[in-house]
Amino acid sequence: WSSDVCSSDLQRLLALLLTAGSNTATATIYDGQSNGGTKILKISAVANTSTHINIPDQGKVIDTNIFVEVTGTSSEATVFWN
């Protein structure tokens, strides 16, 4: 698995694109520095497909940081935020 943290003073989660590799992928977004933060959302994509979610209005305000935990072989997640 892999993960990443996006950081700035005020963050808004706008959307997430998840692309699965050779098996099912999941992406879980947390408000925090790790997967110990507050869970915001979780999405899944079956092998060799993509899925996305758009957050309505002006997105979800994140208090700390956007931390994304991705599972699945060769899976990728793209986070749209400002």
Side-chain angles (χ1 to χ4, degrees), residues 12 14 18 28 37-39 42 44 49 51 54 56 60-61 72:
R12 289 183 183 273
L14 302 174
L18 176 62
T28 307
T38 302
K39 187 188 295 187
K42 180 177 183 177
S44 297
T49 65
T51 189
N54 293 315
K60 165 73 173 138
V61 174

Side-chain angles (χ1 to χ4, degrees), residues 57-76:
D57 298 321
Q58 295 181 359
K60 165 73 173 138
V61 174
I62 303 297
D63 294 323
T64 306
N65 283 303
I66 298 171
F67 181 88
V68 183
E69 183 175 57
V70 179
T71 63
T73 304
S74 300
S75 300
E76 296 180 356

Side-chain angles (χ1 to χ4, degrees), residues 1-5 16-21 23-30 34-35 41-45 67-79:
W1 65 273
S2 63
S3 60
D4 206 355
V5 176
L16 177 77
L17 170 65
L18 176 62
T19 302
N23 59 0
T24 298
T26 61
T28 307
I29 297 182
Y30 299 89
S34 70
N35 61 4
L41 67 89
K42 180 177 183 177
I43 65 170
S44 297
F67 181 88
V68 183
E69 183 175 57
V70 179
T71 63
T73 304
S74 300
S75 300
E76 296 180 356
T78 303
V79 178

